[in-house]
Amino acid sequence: MTEDTKAAPKLRPCPICGKPAVEAVKPFCSTRCADVDLHRWLGGVYALPAADQDDESDAES
Ligand SMILES: [Zn+2]
């Protein structure tokens, strides 16, 4: 049996830019993209302020 899975990279594409990921910084393609993802977390993109929707009408003036 011969399997041609040698060249098949198991790493998934970079979630940031879609380029092939690099083992050293997986699942990203570079430290830059890893940084972007990190900043997303720090920036609160993943932690959106779940502001009370009822507060909106109260803020109107
Ligand atoms: Zn990338």
Side-chain angles (χ1 to χ4, degrees), residues 13-21 27-34:
C14 172
I16 303 300
C17 68
K19 287 181 183 178
F28 308 103
C29 71
S30 63
T31 51
R32 187 165 187 168
C33 281

Side-chain angles (χ1 to χ4, degrees), residues 21-58:
V22 173
E23 180 73 30
V25 291
K26 66 184 178 181
F28 308 103
C29 71
S30 63
T31 51
R32 187 165 187 168
C33 281
D35 215 42
V36 170
D37 190 68
L38 179 66
H39 278 292
R40 281 190 183 180
W41 280 92
L42 296 178
V45 175
Y46 290 149
L48 290 173
D52 299 325
Q53 292 179 352
D54 299 324
D55 234 35
E56 270 184 39
S57 52
D58 214 47

